[in-house]
mmCIF file of all heavy atoms in Angstrom:
data_model
loop_
_atom_site.group_PDB
_atom_site.id
_atom_site.type_symbol
_atom_site.label_atom_id
_atom_site.label_comp_id
_atom_site.label_asym_id
_atom_site.label_seq_id
_atom_site.Cartn_x
_atom_site.Cartn_y
_atom_site.Cartn_z
ATOM 1 N N LYS A 254 -84.925 -61.913 22.459
ATOM 2 C CA LYS A 254 -85.147 -62.699 23.671
ATOM 3 C C LYS A 254 -86.564 -62.575 24.223
ATOM 4 O O LYS A 254 -87.067 -63.499 24.867
ATOM 5 C CB LYS A 254 -84.155 -62.278 24.760
ATOM 6 C CG LYS A 254 -82.697 -62.522 24.403
ATOM 7 C CD LYS A 254 -81.781 -62.071 25.529
ATOM 8 C CE LYS A 254 -80.315 -62.318 25.177
ATOM 9 N NZ LYS A 254 -79.400 -61.863 26.264
ATOM 10 N N ARG A 255 -87.199 -61.433 23.997
ATOM 11 C CA ARG A 255 -88.501 -61.183 24.626
ATOM 12 C C ARG A 255 -89.398 -60.397 23.672
ATOM 13 O O ARG A 255 -88.973 -59.395 23.095
ATOM 14 C CB ARG A 255 -88.286 -60.388 25.912
ATOM 15 C CG ARG A 255 -89.548 -60.008 26.684
ATOM 16 C CD ARG A 255 -89.129 -59.344 27.997
ATOM 17 N NE ARG A 255 -90.216 -58.652 28.657
ATOM 18 C CZ ARG A 255 -91.114 -59.219 29.457
ATOM 19 N NH1 ARG A 255 -91.039 -60.532 29.676
ATOM 20 N NH2 ARG A 255 -92.063 -58.516 30.042
ATOM 21 N N ILE A 256 -90.626 -60.879 23.498
ATOM 22 C CA ILE A 256 -91.573 -60.187 22.619
ATOM 23 C C ILE A 256 -92.865 -59.878 23.377
ATOM 24 O O ILE A 256 -93.160 -60.486 24.409
ATOM 25 C CB ILE A 256 -91.905 -61.001 21.354
ATOM 26 C CG1 ILE A 256 -92.680 -62.273 21.702
ATOM 27 C CG2 ILE A 256 -90.645 -61.307 20.560
ATOM 28 C CD1 ILE A 256 -93.266 -62.988 20.501
ATOM 29 N N GLY A 257 -93.624 -58.926 22.844
ATOM 30 C CA GLY A 257 -94.928 -58.599 23.393
ATOM 31 C C GLY A 257 -96.016 -58.911 22.383
ATOM 32 O O GLY A 257 -95.770 -58.934 21.172
ATOM 33 N N ILE A 258 -97.219 -59.171 22.888
ATOM 34 C CA ILE A 258 -98.376 -59.431 22.031
ATOM 35 C C ILE A 258 -99.524 -58.572 22.545
ATOM 36 O O ILE A 258 -99.773 -58.519 23.754
ATOM 37 C CB ILE A 258 -98.804 -60.911 22.061
ATOM 38 C CG1 ILE A 258 -97.658 -61.824 21.622
ATOM 39 C CG2 ILE A 258 -100.026 -61.143 21.174
ATOM 40 C CD1 ILE A 258 -97.962 -63.307 21.772
ATOM 41 N N LEU A 259 -100.222 -57.896 21.627
ATOM 42 C CA LEU A 259 -101.409 -57.143 22.037
ATOM 43 C C LEU A 259 -102.512 -57.290 21.007
ATOM 44 O O LEU A 259 -102.269 -57.602 19.837
ATOM 45 C CB LEU A 259 -101.080 -55.668 22.287
ATOM 46 C CG LEU A 259 -100.621 -54.763 21.134
ATOM 47 C CD1 LEU A 259 -101.767 -54.283 20.247
ATOM 48 C CD2 LEU A 259 -99.885 -53.551 21.683
ATOM 49 N N THR A 260 -103.748 -57.089 21.462
ATOM 50 C CA THR A 260 -104.905 -57.047 20.574
ATOM 51 C C THR A 260 -105.522 -55.658 20.702
ATOM 52 O O THR A 260 -105.638 -55.118 21.798
ATOM 53 C CB THR A 260 -105.951 -58.121 20.947
ATOM 54 O OG1 THR A 260 -106.253 -58.040 22.347
ATOM 55 C CG2 THR A 260 -105.414 -59.507 20.648
ATOM 56 N N SER A 261 -105.909 -55.085 19.567
ATOM 57 C CA SER A 261 -106.373 -53.699 19.570
ATOM 58 C C SER A 261 -107.601 -53.547 18.688
ATOM 59 O O SER A 261 -107.811 -54.327 17.750
ATOM 60 C CB SER A 261 -105.252 -52.783 19.071
ATOM 61 O OG SER A 261 -105.685 -51.445 18.943
ATOM 62 N N GLY A 262 -108.421 -52.538 18.980
ATOM 63 C CA GLY A 262 -109.623 -52.292 18.189
ATOM 64 C C GLY A 262 -110.720 -53.274 18.534
ATOM 65 O O GLY A 262 -110.813 -53.775 19.655
ATOM 66 N N GLY A 263 -111.566 -53.575 17.568
ATOM 67 C CA GLY A 263 -112.670 -54.504 17.808
ATOM 68 C C GLY A 263 -112.186 -55.923 18.000
ATOM 69 O O GLY A 263 -111.281 -56.385 17.295
ATOM 70 N N ASP A 264 -112.777 -56.635 18.956
ATOM 71 C CA ASP A 264 -112.412 -58.038 19.146
ATOM 72 C C ASP A 264 -112.951 -58.869 17.991
ATOM 73 O O ASP A 264 -113.919 -58.486 17.327
ATOM 74 C CB ASP A 264 -112.955 -58.563 20.474
ATOM 75 C CG ASP A 264 -114.473 -58.490 20.548
ATOM 76 O OD1 ASP A 264 -115.010 -57.374 20.463
ATOM 77 O OD2 ASP A 264 -115.125 -59.545 20.673
ATOM 78 N N ALA A 265 -112.327 -60.007 17.745
ATOM 79 C CA ALA A 265 -112.735 -60.880 16.654
ATOM 80 C C ALA A 265 -112.498 -62.328 17.055
ATOM 81 O O ALA A 265 -111.430 -62.648 17.596
ATOM 82 C CB ALA A 265 -111.952 -60.556 15.379
ATOM 83 N N PRO A 266 -113.466 -63.223 16.823
ATOM 84 C CA PRO A 266 -113.278 -64.637 17.152
ATOM 85 C C PRO A 266 -112.069 -65.208 16.415
ATOM 86 O O PRO A 266 -111.924 -65.011 15.206
ATOM 87 C CB PRO A 266 -114.576 -65.291 16.662
ATOM 88 C CG PRO A 266 -115.566 -64.182 16.592
ATOM 89 C CD PRO A 266 -114.793 -62.965 16.225
ATOM 90 N N GLY A 267 -111.204 -65.870 17.133
ATOM 91 C CA GLY A 267 -109.972 -66.410 16.558
ATOM 92 C C GLY A 267 -108.744 -65.676 17.051
ATOM 93 O O GLY A 267 -107.613 -66.135 16.848
ATOM 94 N N MET A 268 -108.933 -64.518 17.707
ATOM 95 C CA MET A 268 -107.791 -63.800 18.260
ATOM 96 C C MET A 268 -107.055 -64.648 19.306
ATOM 97 O O MET A 268 -105.825 -64.633 19.376
ATOM 98 C CB MET A 268 -108.239 -62.474 18.878
ATOM 99 C CG MET A 268 -108.481 -61.360 17.867
ATOM 100 S SD MET A 268 -108.904 -59.798 18.674
ATOM 101 C CE MET A 268 -108.704 -58.646 17.298
ATOM 102 N N ASN A 269 -107.825 -65.392 20.104
ATOM 103 C CA ASN A 269 -107.175 -66.218 21.125
ATOM 104 C C ASN A 269 -106.383 -67.363 20.505
ATOM 105 O O ASN A 269 -105.331 -67.747 21.024
ATOM 106 C CB ASN A 269 -108.223 -66.757 22.101
ATOM 107 C CG ASN A 269 -108.774 -65.659 22.994
ATOM 108 O OD1 ASN A 269 -108.046 -64.757 23.396
ATOM 109 N ND2 ASN A 269 -110.058 -65.727 23.298
ATOM 110 N N ALA A 270 -106.878 -67.900 19.402
ATOM 111 C CA ALA A 270 -106.112 -68.925 18.685
ATOM 112 C C ALA A 270 -104.788 -68.349 18.197
ATOM 113 O O ALA A 270 -103.754 -69.018 18.218
ATOM 114 C CB ALA A 270 -106.924 -69.467 17.510
ATOM 115 N N CYS A 271 -104.829 -67.079 17.756
ATOM 116 C CA CYS A 271 -103.621 -66.405 17.273
ATOM 117 C C CYS A 271 -102.645 -66.149 18.423
ATOM 118 O O CYS A 271 -101.439 -66.389 18.288
ATOM 119 C CB CYS A 271 -104.006 -65.093 16.601
ATOM 120 S SG CYS A 271 -102.629 -64.235 15.830
ATOM 121 N N ILE A 272 -103.163 -65.663 19.549
ATOM 122 C CA ILE A 272 -102.314 -65.434 20.727
ATOM 123 C C ILE A 272 -101.650 -66.746 21.152
ATOM 124 O O ILE A 272 -100.441 -66.803 21.396
ATOM 125 C CB ILE A 272 -103.152 -64.865 21.888
ATOM 126 C CG1 ILE A 272 -103.671 -63.470 21.547
ATOM 127 C CG2 ILE A 272 -102.327 -64.822 23.184
ATOM 128 C CD1 ILE A 272 -104.753 -62.975 22.502
ATOM 129 N N ARG A 273 -102.454 -67.793 21.235
ATOM 130 C CA ARG A 273 -101.942 -69.113 21.631
ATOM 131 C C ARG A 273 -100.824 -69.582 20.712
ATOM 132 O O ARG A 273 -99.768 -70.043 21.165
ATOM 133 C CB ARG A 273 -103.102 -70.110 21.623
ATOM 134 C CG ARG A 273 -102.726 -71.568 21.818
ATOM 135 C CD ARG A 273 -104.007 -72.414 21.733
ATOM 136 N NE ARG A 273 -103.731 -73.832 21.834
ATOM 137 C CZ ARG A 273 -103.457 -74.634 20.814
ATOM 138 N NH1 ARG A 273 -103.398 -74.108 19.566
ATOM 139 N NH2 ARG A 273 -103.237 -75.916 20.979
ATOM 140 N N ALA A 274 -101.042 -69.452 19.404
ATOM 141 C CA ALA A 274 -100.044 -69.904 18.433
ATOM 142 C C ALA A 274 -98.769 -69.080 18.531
ATOM 143 O O ALA A 274 -97.652 -69.621 18.453
ATOM 144 C CB ALA A 274 -100.615 -69.820 17.023
ATOM 145 N N ALA A 275 -98.917 -67.767 18.709
ATOM 146 C CA ALA A 275 -97.743 -66.898 18.819
ATOM 147 C C ALA A 275 -96.936 -67.228 20.071
ATOM 148 O O ALA A 275 -95.699 -67.280 20.029
ATOM 149 C CB ALA A 275 -98.178 -65.436 18.837
ATOM 150 N N VAL A 276 -97.620 -67.456 21.178
ATOM 151 C CA VAL A 276 -96.923 -67.793 22.431
ATOM 152 C C VAL A 276 -96.182 -69.115 22.290
ATOM 153 O O VAL A 276 -95.008 -69.226 22.662
ATOM 154 C CB VAL A 276 -97.921 -67.852 23.602
ATOM 155 C CG1 VAL A 276 -97.255 -68.440 24.851
ATOM 156 C CG2 VAL A 276 -98.478 -66.468 23.912
ATOM 157 N N ARG A 277 -96.842 -70.109 21.756
ATOM 158 C CA ARG A 277 -96.199 -71.429 21.624
ATOM 159 C C ARG A 277 -95.010 -71.379 20.670
ATOM 160 O O ARG A 277 -93.997 -72.038 20.897
ATOM 161 C CB ARG A 277 -97.228 -72.472 21.173
ATOM 162 C CG ARG A 277 -98.242 -72.780 22.253
ATOM 163 C CD ARG A 277 -98.977 -74.067 22.006
ATOM 164 N NE ARG A 277 -99.726 -74.467 23.196
ATOM 165 C CZ ARG A 277 -100.314 -75.638 23.349
ATOM 166 N NH1 ARG A 277 -100.230 -76.551 22.387
ATOM 167 N NH2 ARG A 277 -100.971 -75.931 24.449
ATOM 168 N N THR A 278 -95.127 -70.597 19.615
ATOM 169 C CA THR A 278 -94.003 -70.458 18.684
ATOM 170 C C THR A 278 -92.838 -69.738 19.345
ATOM 171 O O THR A 278 -91.674 -70.117 19.170
ATOM 172 C CB THR A 278 -94.443 -69.681 17.429
ATOM 173 O OG1 THR A 278 -95.578 -70.320 16.849
ATOM 174 C CG2 THR A 278 -93.326 -69.630 16.396
ATOM 175 N N ALA A 279 -93.150 -68.709 20.109
ATOM 176 C CA ALA A 279 -92.098 -67.975 20.830
ATOM 177 C C ALA A 279 -91.395 -68.880 21.829
ATOM 178 O O ALA A 279 -90.150 -68.906 21.897
ATOM 179 C CB ALA A 279 -92.707 -66.767 21.536
ATOM 180 N N LEU A 280 -92.168 -69.629 22.603
ATOM 181 C CA LEU A 280 -91.574 -70.513 23.599
ATOM 182 C C LEU A 280 -90.718 -71.601 22.941
ATOM 183 O O LEU A 280 -89.669 -71.995 23.472
ATOM 184 C CB LEU A 280 -92.668 -71.149 24.457
ATOM 185 C CG LEU A 280 -93.493 -70.187 25.322
ATOM 186 C CD1 LEU A 280 -94.583 -70.952 26.081
ATOM 187 C CD2 LEU A 280 -92.607 -69.421 26.293
#
């Protein structure tokens, strides 16, 4: 029913695209 998403270590361009896709898929 409920998931978490986190980013860890060095930031990398495209992480926000991944977060966005994961959220939309979850919803």
Side-chain angles (χ1 to χ4, degrees):
K254 297 180 180 179
R255 179 175 166 84
I256 67 169
I258 302 174
L259 65 79
T260 51
S261 175
D264 61 299
M268 281 184 166
N269 289 324
C271 185
I272 294 167
R273 172 182 177 271
V276 170
R277 290 198 168 190
T278 305
L280 296 178

